[in-house]
Amino acid sequence: MVLEMKVPSPGESITEVEIATWLVKDGDYVEKDQAIAEVDSDKATLELPAEASGIITLKAEEGDAVKVGQVVCLIDTGAAKPDGAAAPAKEEKAAEAPKAEEKKEEPKKEEPKAAPAEEKTYATGTPSPAARKILDEKNIDASTVTGTGKGGRITKDDAVNHVPSMGTPTGGNRGSEKTKLSMLRRKVAERLVSAKNETAMLTTFNEVNMTPINNIRNEYKDAFKAKHGGVSLGYMSFFTKAVVRALQLFPDVNSMMDGDYKISYDFVDVSIAVSGPKGLMVPVVRNAEALSFRGIEAEIKRLALRARDGQITVDDMTGGTFTITNGGVFGSMLSTPIINPPQSGILGMHNIIERPIAVNGKVEIHPMMYVALSYDHRIIDGRESVGFLVAVKEGLENPVELLMDNNPKKALEL
């Protein structure tokens, strides 16, 4: 029996995927549930498992765009699993290999005899036709080029790599490679360009003194990790809590444009940008306003691990009312993050650097972070954008009172 394997639907609204990589070859025997291909949608890269065991026949090539429901391979379920019958054939080929090598030795002995003929044909320093064209284009005298070809002939590579005594150097590698972007990467590019072209995007900046958060983490991080099964107390839970508070104070930042209408939300689904093997992923921490510090850190850890292991799904990345991205983990000091459409705002975190600041009229050294809010000016005015970022700053610089209700142990569930 021959089974037709069709492309399953990776998620709602997705009608087409792209064969990124075949993990098996045409004619291979595959086991049921074995991953046979990786397919790209415009939202994620997913594995395609075999629906049955048997000999596979591929019906699509890598890079092909295929419709959901289209047949991409056939599996002959009646075929027997091959055993070691192919081993003797390999041994025969191995036995024949020395004979092939012996035959190749004869022309090698004749090569030195052919060399004098080459030397007589071309004078030393004579360029080949291709080399002559390159030298003429560069206005280089052939007598200044050392030929490395037979008989001292100037080859095309000699002409390309020749560095004149004066003028622009032409030596060094000048290779290039053209590769097709994955469907996911093309969709990301399309969305980023769309965000730049279709929104009135502006960015406002501020800076945060991270000393209060560092003090809390230094005091409670060991107890937090021990109490909550290895979940670490990081910066993201503080930033998520501060963002939730600021969004509740300035709800326009937690809204979206839909034509001539504004959609507002009474919940906060925070998209967290994480780096995975397939590039940037933005999974969603849902109902962040209802989560504790432990809940936020545990959910971020779960989503980050799924992204790292290539197990992230479309559902994990669908939705989101606001985005947080942390370029600081890569060393970024300051940036203008691009809005994640159709959202209206994105907060950019950056690296923490000790800098001198004025505190009560005195200069002190503190760990400081620049933060940036990019927002859609069509729906968010300057008052809301600046007020939102100031509210985030206030929450981070006074976390005990504004984020922990004056009880850090209770907030951290210790």
Side-chain angles (χ1 to χ4, degrees):
M1 176 182 174
V2 177
L3 172 69
E4 292 185 339
M5 269 200 62
K6 300 178 180 180
V7 178
S9 174
E12 188 179 352
S13 78
I14 298 177
T15 60
E16 186 178 74
V17 298
E18 188 175 280
I19 304 295
T21 307
W22 281 111
L23 304 177
V24 296
K25 297 179 181 178
D26 196 43
D28 281 357
Y29 186 89
V30 298
E31 299 284 356
K32 184 179 180 181
D33 296 328
Q34 174 186 342
I36 59 174
E38 290 182 350
V39 295
D40 282 342
S41 72
D42 58 10
K43 294 184 178 179
T45 298
L46 306 170
E47 286 187 344
L48 185 66
E51 296 177 5
S53 300
I55 300 294
I56 191 168
T57 302
L58 308 183
K59 292 295 183 181
E61 297 183 0
E62 291 183 0
D64 285 356
V66 292
K67 300 288 186 183
V68 170
Q70 180 177 331
V71 176
V72 289
C73 65
L74 305 176
I75 299 179
D76 183 359
T77 58
K81 184 176 182 178
D83 49 23
K90 293 182 180 179
E91 292 175 4
E92 289 176 9
K93 290 181 180 179
E96 293 175 2
K99 296 181 181 179
E101 291 177 2
E102 289 173 8
K103 291 180 181 179
K104 290 180 181 178
E105 288 178 3
E106 294 180 2
K108 289 181 180 178
K109 293 178 181 178
E110 295 176 2
E111 287 180 5
K113 296 179 182 178
E118 293 287 340
E119 291 173 6
K120 293 177 181 178
T121 304
Y122 302 104
T124 300
T126 302
S128 69
R132 167 61 64 189
K133 182 179 180 182
I134 294 171
L135 294 176
D136 289 344
E137 289 174 350
K138 294 183 176 182
N139 196 25
I140 297 174
D141 187 349
S143 63
T144 64
V145 183
T146 301
T148 62
K150 291 182 179 179
R153 193 182 192 199
I154 300 172
T155 65
K156 179 182 177 181
D157 286 341
D158 295 332
V160 169
N161 296 326
H162 177 67
V163 181
S165 58
M166 296 180 64
T168 304
T170 57
N173 295 329
R174 296 179 60 80
S176 63
E177 182 182 6
K178 184 178 181 179
T179 57
K180 187 176 181 181
L181 296 175
S182 68
M183 180 178 283
L184 173 60
R185 195 66 208 174
R186 297 199 304 270
K187 187 63 178 180
V188 169
E190 179 185 321
R191 286 167 62 85
L192 294 178
V193 172
S194 173
K196 292 284 287 184
N197 292 339
E198 298 178 10
T199 65
M201 193 175 76
L202 292 178
T203 304
T204 184
F205 304 93
N206 215 314
E207 62 178 357
V208 176
N209 185 345
M210 300 295 290
T211 299
I213 291 177
N214 284 348
N215 290 341
I216 293 173
R217 292 182 69 241
N218 291 336
E219 183 176 355
Y220 297 110
K221 64 181 180 181
D222 292 338
F224 186 90
K225 190 171 186 177
K227 176 69 178 294
H228 301 304
V231 177
S232 300
L233 180 61
Y235 290 110
M236 288 305 301
S237 54
F238 288 94
F239 272 83
T240 302
K241 283 285 187 180
V243 162
V244 167
R245 173 180 176 272
L247 289 175
Q248 291 170 339
L249 293 173
F250 299 92
D252 279 352
V253 185
N254 194 44
S255 59
M256 301 179 187
M257 289 281 292
D258 183 14
D260 294 333
Y261 296 87
K262 178 179 74 174
I263 303 176
S264 301
Y265 300 94
D266 60 359
F267 57 87
V268 178
D269 285 353
V270 179
S271 302
I272 305 290
V274 297
S275 181
K278 298 294 182 179
L280 186 68
M281 303 288 181
V282 194
V284 181
V285 176
R286 304 190 188 281
N287 288 105
E289 78 282 356
L291 296 178
S292 63
F293 281 83
R294 182 200 64 80
I296 293 171
E297 292 289 358
E299 181 65 0
I300 291 175
K301 180 180 180 180
R302 182 186 74 84
L303 293 170
L305 289 175
R306 287 177 63 82
R308 185 197 67 186
D309 297 337
Q311 298 176 345
I312 207 80
T313 66
V314 174
D315 290 339
D316 290 327
M317 296 186 290
T318 300
T321 61
F322 186 86
T323 296
I324 300 176
T325 180
N326 185 5
V329 296
F330 304 111
S332 172
M333 183 177 181
L334 190 62
S335 67
T336 56
I338 297 179
I339 295 171
N340 180 20
Q343 298 173 18
S344 298
I346 178 172
L347 179 72
M349 301 167 55
H350 300 90
N351 60 353
I352 300 171
I353 297 178
E354 289 193 342
R355 296 201 304 272
I357 62 171
V359 179
N360 298 324
K362 297 180 180 180
V363 176
E364 297 181 5
I365 304 294
H366 285 271
M368 304 297 294
M369 176 193 285
Y370 289 121
V371 288
L373 172 71
S374 292
Y375 61 98
D376 189 347
H377 207 349
R378 297 178 303 167
I379 196 170
I380 302 170
D381 291 331
R383 174 185 172 276
E384 281 72 25
S385 62
V386 174
F388 170 87
L389 198 56
V390 169
V392 170
K393 173 183 170 70
E394 291 171 346
L396 296 171
E397 292 186 339
N398 190 5
V400 172
E401 179 182 348
L402 301 180
L403 306 182
M404 295 179 158
D405 198 22
N406 291 307
N407 193 337
K409 286 190 175 180
K410 181 179 180 181
L412 298 175
E413 302 174 60
L414 299 178

